[in-house]
Amino acid sequence: MSTLQELLPVEMVGRVFSAIAGAVSMAGPLGALLGGFLGYMFGSSIVYSLGIWAMLPVSNQWFIDPLLRNIPNPRKMDPVKYGLSRHTALNR
């Protein structure tokens, strides 16, 4: 989150964080409902196992990609290198 605050243009920070908060607020109850349903149908050990396997591609991407593996301090990041632009943000 601090990386987003540092790299996003100042006028976009509120919108981006509102969108993230909205997505998290919607995903939590939906995930609980889906997890409860799947746990009822198949058992909790299957649901936990599926969750572990679902995180594996994310972990592998962080392990394999040198750009992600070596993320510096947000104040030292080059926004362009990570696909962002800082042309409208305040210089810090």
Side-chain angles (χ1 to χ4, degrees):
M1 292 304 223
S2 61
T3 301
L4 283 175
Q5 277 183 311
E6 186 67 29
L7 296 180
L8 285 170
V10 173
E11 63 272 8
M12 296 296 292
V13 172
R15 281 184 249 178
V16 170
F17 279 93
S18 295
I20 291 170
V24 168
S25 296
M26 288 186 292
L30 291 175
L33 181 64
L34 180 63
F37 175 74
L38 292 175
Y40 175 76
M41 295 297 290
F42 304 107
S44 60
S45 60
I46 299 292
V47 175
Y48 279 109
S49 297
L50 288 174
I52 291 168
W53 285 103
M55 287 300 297
L56 193 60
V58 175
S59 303
N60 285 338
Q61 184 66 29
W62 277 85
F63 181 72
I64 292 169
D65 189 350
L67 188 63
L68 292 175
R69 209 177 33 225
N70 299 310
I71 291 179
N73 179 318
R75 292 190 185 273
K76 296 178 183 176
M77 288 180 81
D78 177 15
V80 176
K81 187 176 180 180
Y82 291 89
L84 301 168
S85 174
R86 196 169 182 184
H87 66 281
T88 56
L90 295 175
N91 291 331
R92 293 183 184 184

